[in-house]
Amino acid sequence: MRLMLVWLLSLVGALSSGVSVDGGKLGGEKVSIGAILGSTTMNGQVMKIAMETAVHDINSNRSILGGRMLSLRILDSNHSGFVSILSALQFMEQETVSLIVSQTSVMAHVLWHLANELHVPLLSFTALDPAFSPFQYPYFLQTAPSDLYQMAALADMINYFGWSNLVAIYTDDEQHRNGITALGDQLFKINCFVNKVTLRPVNVDQTLLVNELLKVKMMGLRVVVLHIPISCGIELLKLAQKLGMLETGYIWIATSWLSTALDSNLKLNKFAQGVLTLRPHTPDSEKKRDLISRWSHLSNGSADLTAYGLYAYDTILVITSALKAFFHNGNDLSFSSDPALRRMGGRLLNLSALSIFDGGKKLLDAMLDTHLTGLTGPISFNSTDRSLSNPSFDVINVVKNQLRVIGYWSKQSGITQVSPDAHSSRTQNRSMSSQLLGSVVWPGGSKTKPLEWTFPPGKKLRVGVPFRVSFQDFVSRNHTHATGYCIDVFTAALRLLPYAVHYEFKFIGDGHKNPSYDDLVKLIGMNEIDAAVGDITIINNRTRTADFTQPYAASGLVVLALVKKVESSAWAFARPFTPALWAITGACFLLVGTVIWVLEHRINEEFRGTARKQIVTLLWFSFSTLFYAHRENTVSTLGRVVLVLWLFAVLVIQSSYTASLTSMLTVEQLSSEITGIDSLTTSNDRIGYQVGSFAASYLHEQLNIPNSRLIALSGDEYANALLQGRVAAVVDEKPYIDLFLSNHCQFSIAGLQFTKNDWGFAFQKGSPLAPDLSTAILKLAEDGTLQKINDHWLGQHGSCDQHASRAMRQLEDFAGLFAICGVACVLAFLIFFFKVLRKYKHHIPEISHSLIHSSSISARLRTFVSFIDQKEDDINRKLERNGTFQSEGEKQSQGTHPLDTVTDNVQDGNIRKGQRSVRFDIAGERSSASNSPRA
């Protein structure tokens, strides 16, 4: 970079007589500021007048800079990058403290290197490249909203109107290219596709513009975004008007270049009727009104004030504010020579003329710390990316002789009808309900939002159709026409589109075997066809080549196998349930019977008696509930709850068994050695697949089945191949298999569907037809048309009953019922146990403490079991006979220990079966052993 500066310096002298404007004859110490403008353009004139006015206003109050005066020199670049570089070098010779560049980012990129080398802050309100990095160019500062925010505003507008496809026309220079890239990044987040049309950055002639506009017209896209220089943009709009592209049906959106052009010359609005554009928002203020009132006198009526004229004025204010802080902190203006350039001075021209601004870094820091209110509103810079804080834009609709503000965009609130001045202090609100714009008058005067895409006039859609040789109910060829289920769905969807689509079918395949559907989709990527219509499965590798519509038919891979009749047997009655289900059902009968016996034993005479009698009762009650033939009544509440739940479960099990057995005995039973895809993958049998299907690649790549085991078949060959044993099974998509089985009852689907894939129509990447047809397909599904088409083509074939072989019930079918009954039994038993335990502890004060501490655990357990075995009525009678419990003190006063009445059998740890070994005296007196039989 230094070598380039040295080389350029040799040419400065020859061009030092270029156009320049001094800041005026000043008294006192001068602070030099340089500006490079294209002052021959209308926009350049506005900026030049605005900066000169700002300098004049500041110098009118000499106390601002402590008696110092600003000296502004303006050089005209004449739109030449080379002259801009030389002008910058001239400024560097004259100890300039800051440089303003009203150029595109292309020239700013070059001048950034010069500013970095010589530590001179470089400011610009037009070089708004969104790719600007403060780390790469530390001495550069954008004093107007970056294009990054303008592109975010455009993206929010596009999202607000719901557009998903558009054309972006831009010039191929750094600023405009990076701007469209930023727009594409924003639109990617909302699934909007950008078709880019690039123009040369210089010398764009009318022929080239016309050709590019015709290309856009043939695309069929109606949303056009323009991000180009003013001169090129006005010319392009004039040509678009001549080509009929500014009439009803088109949508044009321009970046802030158009509002700038119309603000400076409203007569140009006749070329932009109905166009939407953006303008940096500048709030109303007394200072702004004062400059507007003086503008006619300042400009002599040559040009109207624009938003960027206000930013030019405020750029001078930023520099002045920074200089004020710079001097206030005791800094002085000093310059020193660049050592690298000084070492080369002996061989070249006067390189020492280029000097480094010693206070450049401090002045830059003062600029970054700016907090003031200018003509454009509050001015401050973000600490991270050095961009202006709180950028905002007006959304403008060009209508007749007006620039109608229909809304605003701000970083905080997005699209809104509330001025940024009103909500600047509010918190961020980007809810959908707050995103609003006023009514829009579109090109042609229409107030109805145009379609974002229409099919190009005079063009036919090239539709590829597979030339099938089997399963022609889906797609078939009838001379030059295509028919079938898929074709009818496609044509029905086209009729729902809001525009006409002219198409022609191109049959893919030789008619001897089905074509490869992967190759069919690849033809779209090769631009040999525009779309592919048929029974095309949506799989991952195909979506990389084409865009698919909403699925119109469900599909997935299944296994087709030969089945044989199941012979009758003496154990046919056991077939409805699996062995596991039989075992669990029997166990549940016993469990429920046992739980009810426990719950009823203490209070129900029907569940008492000798051990033999009670075992018989338990078994009888358990299994008689299957036929609702149990004789015993349940008395306890818990028992009744458990029994009701179990009888409901028995009802379901009994009904299922009856239905399955009836089905098995009345319908012919079929079975197959192939049980599903798992049995195929673990065997070495050969597997058939349909020619052209993705099934072969799935079996080989996903399931690791060798290609040597895979046999390609036509759909017409399935039956013979399976009957002759050429293949053990066929793997194909379910719609084909269902159609095949409608006429071949000796075959069946083995196992379950093991993939989930759907059918859709394929289009070129970014084609607007894909989302439009997706919407149409959803409408067909909602109004029943899709089902009617399915019934017409696929619902008139014969059918075979394939359900008998699947009549056997599994354990999983009743898992919920068994779980409910099991939980009920456990809860009932726990409630019963804790109730008995509580009564046992509360009503047994007779057992001595000595027994508690001296007897074994087994003796205590037998005591508790004996208590549970007692009849509830016996305990209640004892309570009535003996009264309430005596207190421990009363018993001791009577000479009786509170827990002192246990028989010798209990003390010895021996309770004889069939006899009551312990008599519990509620009053606390000693009781003798009783040999009376149990109740």
Side-chain angles (χ1 to χ4, degrees), residues 760-827:
F761 303 132
F763 290 87
Q764 290 187 351
K765 280 287 187 181
S767 172
L769 271 174
D772 288 352
L773 272 183
S774 294
T775 303
I777 289 171
L778 288 175
K779 292 179 180 178
L780 291 177
E782 291 172 358
D783 63 18
T785 304
L786 206 58
Q787 185 60 45
K788 291 177 182 178
I789 297 174
N790 180 83
D791 295 341
H792 173 74
W793 284 100
L794 308 176
Q796 298 180 352
H797 299 275
S799 62
C800 300
D801 194 339
Q802 299 289 330
H803 302 289
S805 62
R806 294 188 292 273
M808 181 177 288
R809 299 300 175 188
Q810 308 290 326
L811 176 59
E812 292 79 5
D813 297 336
F814 304 103
L817 276 176
F818 291 144
I820 293 172
C821 292
V823 171
C825 289
V826 171
L827 290 178

Side-chain angles (χ1 to χ4, degrees), residues 577-702:
F577 290 175
T578 61
L581 182 56
W582 278 117
I584 295 299
T585 303
C588 285
F589 275 107
L590 291 174
L591 172 65
V592 172
T594 302
V595 171
I596 291 180
W597 177 83
V598 171
L599 298 176
E600 297 290 324
H601 177 67
R602 302 183 75 240
I603 59 177
N604 193 338
E605 288 291 344
E606 295 183 358
F607 288 87
R608 298 187 66 82
T610 63
R612 181 175 178 276
K613 178 184 176 182
Q614 293 184 60
I615 292 174
V616 172
T617 300
L618 187 152
L619 293 175
W620 164 255
F621 183 86
S622 297
F623 291 100
S624 62
T625 54
L626 176 62
F627 310 102
Y628 309 103
H630 51 285
R631 298 172 302 181
E632 294 79 9
N633 292 323
T634 52
V635 178
S636 67
T637 302
L638 291 175
R640 289 175 177 177
V641 171
V642 172
L643 183 60
V644 168
L645 290 175
W646 175 242
L647 290 179
F648 173 73
V650 168
L651 175 64
V652 175
I653 294 171
Q654 188 183 67
S655 302
S656 299
Y657 175 84
T658 303
S660 298
L661 183 61
T662 301
S663 175
M664 289 181 172
L665 295 179
T666 57
V667 180
E668 183 180 39
Q669 293 298 293
L670 304 174
S671 68
S672 172
E673 296 179 356
I674 306 298
T675 59
I677 189 63
D678 292 335
S679 62
L680 278 180
T681 55
T682 56
S683 69
N684 293 319
D685 297 330
R686 288 173 294 180
I687 304 171
Y689 67 91
Q690 186 178 178
V691 175
S693 170
F694 77 98
S697 60
Y698 180 86
L699 293 172
H700 177 65
E701 296 173 5
Q702 302 298 326

Side-chain angles (χ1 to χ4, degrees), residues 51 72 235 251 325 588 771 848:
M51 286 191 290
L72 174 66
E235 186 65 27
I251 302 161
C588 285
S848 65

Side-chain angles (χ1 to χ4, degrees), residues 197-217:
V197 176
T198 306
L199 303 177
R200 290 184 308 188
V202 292
N203 300 325
V204 183
D205 56 27
Q206 287 192 0
T207 303
L208 178 62
L209 291 178
V210 168
N211 291 337
E212 296 299 334
L213 287 173
L214 289 176
K215 288 180 183 178
V216 172
K217 192 172 185 178

Side-chain angles (χ1 to χ4, degrees), residues 98 121-125 127-128 132 134 138-146 149 311 314-322 363-374 376-391 411:
S98 185
L122 178 66
L123 289 76
S124 181
F125 44 84
L128 305 175
F132 157 70
Y139 281 87
F140 178 72
L141 197 60
Q142 294 174 333
T143 56
S146 166
Y149 299 111
Y311 279 107
D314 279 356
T315 300
I316 298 296
L317 294 186
V318 170
I319 296 174
T320 303
S321 175
L363 181 60
L364 177 65
D365 292 339
M367 291 179 179
L368 294 174
D369 197 37
T370 298
H371 293 280
L372 61 88
T373 300
T376 59
I379 302 174
S380 62
F381 297 93
N382 292 323
S383 58
T384 53
D385 59 0
R386 297 186 180 179
S387 63
L388 282 177
S389 302
N390 304 320
K411 184 179 178 182

